[in-house]
Amino acid sequence: MIKKLIVNADDFGMCEGNTIGILLAHKNGILTSTTVMMNMPYASFALKQAQNFPDLGVGVHLNITIGKPLTQMSCVDENGYFLRRDKYENNQPKVNQDELYKEWKMQIEKYIEIVGHLPTHLDSHHHVHMLPWHIEVAKRLANEYNVPLRQREKVMDPYARCDDTFEKDHVTYEYLKSIINCNDETIEIMCHPGLIDQRLYDISSYNLPRMKELEILTSKEIKDFISKSNIKLINFTQI
């Protein structure tokens, strides 16, 4: 059996540094896919640069926890920025479904306006689309645009298993290999490679480990492991 592997980087377009790092992970490593944050200042820059890499799948990283919304929403602070997760009970954002649908739809439509075609798939920043009070909106949009949706459980087709590849103490070659070696036929590995610039350092607590992820994803060790393991690298257009 040939195992199919999607290696997807979140946070494309969050800032210049992490965007360039994601592109390097694709150009020089095993990364096959990414998702762009359409409400962030570097989204257009990211999508323009991605045009130079036709094999890179690009989806939309639906967002309600950082930056400014593209529509009128009530879940913002006095400066018009999305409320941080720590402003919600148990760090779990809860947004009006009508507002959520309009905002996420606008994020998808902005992607289409810039690129000229549908995103390869949908996922979300901080996995907020998987919250019970948000999942139906995410499924509605995935069905409306007929694109795959990332999920930790099989809630709709087509799908891939999703695992956090790198998190805190798990930024290691061994942990990455252990996920790739699971028994699922199609796997999505979520990652966050990047180069660190001042903006990323200021807005994301997960910063320096992104450099380690980039190192691992572009390493000869991992590329040789993929080559010897009968694994086909794909993106969401090939599910």
Side-chain angles (χ1 to χ4, degrees):
M1 179 186 72
I2 298 177
K3 186 178 296 184
K4 297 177 181 178
L5 174 63
I6 299 168
V7 183
N8 186 88
D10 288 1
D11 302 344
F12 200 44
M14 176 183 281
C15 63
E16 187 174 26
N18 84 300
T19 295
I20 293 172
I22 288 169
L23 294 173
L24 288 173
H26 171 67
K27 179 182 178 181
N28 301 328
I30 66 169
L31 190 139
T32 62
S33 176
T34 189
T35 38
V36 61
M37 306 175 79
M38 292 309 306
N39 70 312
M40 297 298 280
Y42 285 86
S44 295
F45 167 79
L47 292 175
K48 182 177 180 180
Q49 296 303 313
Q51 292 175 3
N52 297 316
F53 302 95
D55 293 330
L56 177 65
V58 182
V60 173
H61 202 45
L62 302 170
N63 179 27
I64 51 169
T65 55
I66 189 172
K68 289 186 175 182
L70 301 180
T71 62
Q72 293 293 320
M73 299 195 77
S74 56
C75 55
V76 295
D77 63 19
E78 64 275 11
N79 296 312
Y81 288 89
F82 280 124
L83 295 174
R84 302 193 310 267
R85 283 188 300 167
D86 60 11
K87 298 299 182 181
Y88 294 92
E89 185 178 357
N90 298 320
N91 290 326
Q92 293 188 330
K94 191 169 186 178
V95 177
N96 175 276
Q97 288 198 352
D98 289 337
E99 290 186 359
L100 186 66
Y101 173 80
K102 291 175 183 177
E103 173 64 22
W104 281 356
K105 184 176 179 66
M106 182 62 72
Q107 292 179 18
I108 297 168
E109 286 294 326
K110 184 176 179 181
Y111 175 99
I112 296 170
E113 179 183 354
I114 293 173
V115 179
H117 57 72
L118 291 171
T120 58
H121 70 295
L122 305 175
D123 56 34
S124 68
H125 196 47
H126 298 139
H127 311 294
V128 293
H129 76 288
M130 288 303 300
L131 294 171
W133 42 86
H134 295 161
I135 184 61
E136 292 306 319
V137 173
K139 290 167 65 175
R140 177 184 173 186
L141 287 164
N143 284 320
E144 184 175 330
Y145 288 94
N146 193 30
V147 295
L149 175 70
R150 170 199 283 168
Q151 58 276 290
R152 294 175 181 276
E153 303 293 338
K154 186 177 178 181
V155 296
M156 63 185 297
D157 292 315
Y159 84 106
R161 175 183 171 191
C162 175
D163 282 290
D164 288 4
T165 306
F166 301 120
E167 188 77 55
K168 297 179 181 178
D169 297 330
H170 291 159
V171 186
T172 66
Y173 289 92
E174 291 72 22
Y175 189 68
L176 176 56
K177 291 177 181 178
S178 71
I179 297 175
I180 296 173
N181 277 329
C182 80
N183 293 325
D184 290 21
E185 181 178 351
T186 303
I187 309 165
E188 183 204 4
I189 293 177
M190 182 190 70
C191 58
H192 298 83
L195 299 177
I196 308 305
D197 58 15
Q198 188 62 49
R199 176 175 170 79
L200 180 63
Y201 190 81
D202 289 343
I203 66 176
S204 175
S205 60
Y206 191 75
N207 42 61
L208 293 179
R210 294 177 192 253
M211 293 286 291
K212 183 64 174 179
E213 291 193 29
L214 178 59
E215 176 186 337
I216 293 174
L217 291 169
T218 58
S219 67
K220 183 178 185 300
E221 179 178 342
I222 286 299
K223 288 187 282 189
D224 287 347
F225 176 78
I226 294 292
S227 178
K228 294 175 182 177
S229 299
N230 201 31
I231 292 170
K232 182 179 180 181
L233 294 170
I234 66 169
N235 60 49
F236 273 93
T237 66
Q238 297 160 288
I239 291 183

